[in-house]
Amino acid sequence: MDYSIWSYFLSLLLFIVFVEQIKYLKKKRFLPGPSLVLPFIGNAIPLVRNPTKFWDLQADFAKSSELGISANYIVGKFIVFIRSTELSHKIFSNVRPDAFHLIGHPFGKKLFGEHNLIYMMGQDHKDLRRRIAPNFTPKALSTYTALQQKIILQHLKKWVQMCSDNHSSIPLRLLCRDMNLETSQTVFVGPYLEEEDRKRFNVDYNQFNVGLMKLPIDLPGSAFRNARLAVSRLAETLSVCAEKSKKELNSGGEPKCLIDFWMQDTLREIYEAAASGSPPPQHSSNIEIGGHLFDFLFAAQDASTSSLLWAATLLDSHPEVLKKVREEVSKLWDAENDELITAEQLREMKYTEAVAREVVRFRAPATLVPHIAGEDFPLTESYVIPKGTIVFPSVFESSFQGFPEPERFDPDRFLEDRHEDRIYRRNFLAFGAGAHQCIGQRYALNHLILFIAMFTTLIDFKRDRTNGCDDITYVPTICPKDDCRVSLSRRCARYPCL
């Protein structure tokens, strides 16, 4: 009896595995990729163990195809990796209900919730972007640069002291992450986040970050469940900040941070709706705004950390570039005058901005932009992406197409006499394209330029180089394998008093 039951279950299991394999091969068709995959989990284990190796293999598969695409299977999901720049643009330009839905993470809806900015499309998405636009006007950006510089300086001084106390090099990744988290908190919600809330915020954000890289096992105590609950708490904390901002502006206060610039127009529209007897406008409730603020934080935090680390790494390995940056900054900004870098000086740092853009091109922080196919979609004349497929356009691979000598770190390509940023604009996808192109890219570039200017002017630094230290690792954005270990010392006669 027992033998018959076990035989039945074994036969059933083998049948399910067989059917699953057939479904995978039917979707895969002629695309390069593994011919056989493990049942149920597919290649999720290799992805979690070594994401760099996994995605490099997918890129190699795609290179072997004339279409520039490859296939695989992860936790019950058929995936398509896209190396081709033109096909990536086709995905980005077809974000709509009957084509592709941006998801940000393979299991993002479980983490971020259904109403996240990432998942919006159509008029609702346009209306929200219109509301967000005042956050990134020249006046607003100028307010942020002052806040950014003060925080950068505080952390640079702390890092140098750590090196001095330890008499050794230090890894920058977590230090940069903490600096960026404080910067984001201060720029986005300024005085509305109390000190105790900041500490809890940091713990929750760390739990969220850990969960991003784990299997989507949504059980009590699992990293994924902890991350999902942390997102809810973070959005709730930020919603309280939105409420405080509205009260401050209602009492006649001037904008001091991003949420203030956002709430100015939002409050006006709320009053106009109330005067006409209409319901409050969409995206104006505190809880909605808190959720969208978290979207900003997620977009700004890890991508920026990645870029700062690669900037330090690449400037150390390219001393001729470092020399030119220092020469340009010294002509425009004297740190010992105890003055902030102004918006005008920032605009005049043409070479430093070219370095920042080349850092982002050479090491695109978020290498992949996952979408899900809402319907069967004819990607090419010969291949239709099946409904439900997770599609991964690779902005990293696009960065190494089109540009002359793309494997060479060459900031001059972004200067006016070569203007490769315009000629090869379609290959520069680090900030996305189409309706969901990053609305805060000027803010992100300003932060990177300010960091490069201050880091190189105020500090002498040297990478503690070991074999493979600059290899790429995912955490979840990409960073140097050794977390960018450096030795730091003060370069300026004294730090500025900002």
Side-chain angles (χ1 to χ4, degrees), residues 220-283:
S222 69
F224 191 84
R225 169 70 65 88
N226 291 340
R228 185 170 63 78
L229 295 176
V231 170
S232 298
R233 291 193 297 270
L234 289 165
E236 185 177 345
T237 299
L238 292 168
S239 72
V240 174
C241 295
E243 182 180 11
K244 291 179 179 178
S245 171
K246 289 176 180 177
K247 289 180 179 177
E248 175 67 16
L249 294 174
N250 273 331
S251 65
E254 289 294 318
K256 297 183 288 291
C257 58
L258 182 146
I259 188 64
D260 287 341
F261 284 101
W262 188 350
M263 290 305 98
Q264 278 186 315
D265 284 349
T266 298
L267 283 172
R268 177 181 54 78
E269 292 186 9
I270 290 173
Y271 296 148
E272 290 173 355
S276 65
S278 302
Q282 279 189 306
H283 313 298

Side-chain angles (χ1 to χ4, degrees), residues 184-210:
S184 297
Q185 291 170 345
T186 305
V187 168
F188 294 172
V189 294
Y192 308 121
L193 195 63
E194 303 293 341
E195 187 60 36
E196 201 57 41
D197 292 330
R198 283 180 183 257
K199 292 176 182 176
R200 189 169 64 250
F201 196 102
N202 294 348
V203 172
D204 282 339
Y205 194 85
N206 185 57
Q207 285 192 332
F208 162 71
N209 236 359
V210 170

Side-chain angles (χ1 to χ4, degrees), residues 20 37-45 47-48 72-79 106-107 110 214-217 390:
E20 190 174 32
V37 293
L38 287 173
F40 311 120
I41 63 171
N43 281 303
I45 292 175
L47 172 59
V48 172
N72 212 314
Y73 185 76
I74 304 171
V75 193
K77 293 289 186 179
F78 178 68
I79 74 165
F107 305 97
K110 287 185 177 181
K214 301 300 182 181
L215 291 172
I217 301 171
I390 300 180

Side-chain angles (χ1 to χ4, degrees), residues 13 165 479:
L13 180 63
D165 292 344
C479 80

